[in-house]
Amino acid sequence: MPRVIVTDKLRSYGAAHREVMPSVEHRSHQGLNNRAENSHQPTRQRERARKGFRSVGAAQRFRDAFRGISPHFRPRRHRMTAAHYRAEMTVRFAIWDQITGVAGLSSIP
């Protein structure tokens, strides 16, 4: 059993605490639960990525299709100089334009 329960300032937590675990100390403060909130960060990033999709299934289908494309535009930046990164991205976008057939199209109609 925990010694302390830390929550944010939502008032209903106090009532739930008194009913479920009255012997445990309850601390409610704005900054005390930062550690718990940070542990949810990967989950929140996944939720943010799903926004704009009608369903979880649609998001997963997009992710599965995009999985092979995404690394092409995200080189390991920490291992490159800025000039090398710019040159690498120029090459990668040129390859992408050739694959998608955009290379032969003009941007002005």
Side-chain angles (χ1 to χ4, degrees):
M1 179 167 307
R3 291 180 292 131
V4 177
I5 295 177
V6 177
T7 63
D8 57 15
K9 292 185 174 183
L10 188 64
R11 303 299 274 166
S12 63
Y13 288 143
H17 163 257
R18 284 189 297 277
E19 188 174 319
V20 177
M21 287 191 267
S23 62
V24 177
E25 180 185 354
H26 178 224
R27 294 183 189 167
S28 176
H29 187 268
Q30 187 172 356
L32 289 177
N33 71 336
N34 284 349
R35 183 174 177 186
E37 291 297 330
N38 285 337
S39 70
H40 289 86
Q41 234 172 3
T43 306
R44 295 197 188 279
Q45 287 172 350
R46 286 193 302 271
E47 288 172 357
R48 192 170 33 248
R50 278 197 303 263
K51 284 186 179 174
F53 292 100
R54 292 177 185 249
S55 68
V56 175
Q60 288 174 344
R61 284 191 299 276
F62 174 80
R63 184 198 64 208
D64 291 343
F66 194 65
R67 185 177 293 159
I69 299 168
S70 178
H72 182 73
F73 295 103
R74 287 192 279 152
R76 296 182 175 265
R77 175 72 178 94
H78 64 283
R79 296 184 178 183
M80 304 181 183
T81 63
H84 184 231
Y85 174 78
R86 285 191 294 272
E88 181 68 24
M89 290 306 290
T90 301
V91 169
R92 289 182 184 210
F93 274 103
I95 292 169
W96 179 253
D97 289 345
Q98 288 176 347
I99 291 171
T100 59
V102 177
L105 301 176
S106 69
S107 60
I108 301 173

